[in-house]
Amino acid sequence: ALGSDVRMKENIKHIGTKNGHRLYEFNYLGGRQRYRGVMAQDLLTTRPDAVVDRNGLYWVDYGALGLELEAV
């Protein structure tokens, strides 16, 4: 599972959908590398089975969604 909580990210931009899931481009707080992926908060209603709560932050099992977190 990968850190996918909106509270771990900044400079978030919605870019479309893939496999029925909303996709965003973002960087992790304090990081320069941009990534393309999902927001755990979106999946809490559509695919809660793919979301794990770790110490109050949400992580996503990308494999369960048929997606990968991509560096852009």
Side-chain angles (χ1 to χ4, degrees):
L2 298 167
S4 296
D5 195 302
V6 68
R7 296 168 290 178
M8 300 167 75
K9 302 172 180 180
E10 62 185 356
N11 303 314
I12 299 165
K13 179 181 176 188
H14 178 250
I15 58 159
T17 59
K18 186 173 182 180
N19 293 359
H21 305 291
R22 291 171 58 93
L23 286 183
Y24 301 86
E25 287 187 0
F26 58 87
N27 57 280
Y28 286 102
L29 295 174
R32 288 193 174 134
Q33 175 67 54
R34 297 283 291 165
Y35 293 96
R36 181 178 299 130
V38 297
M39 290 294 160
Q41 279 80 351
D42 289 348
L43 299 172
L44 288 174
T45 53
T46 60
R47 286 294 306 272
D49 58 298
V51 180
V52 178
D53 183 335
R54 290 192 181 158
N55 300 317
L57 291 174
Y58 295 118
W59 296 64
V60 167
D61 177 358
Y62 273 81
L65 303 176
L67 296 173
E68 293 182 14
L69 179 66
E70 302 174 60
V72 293

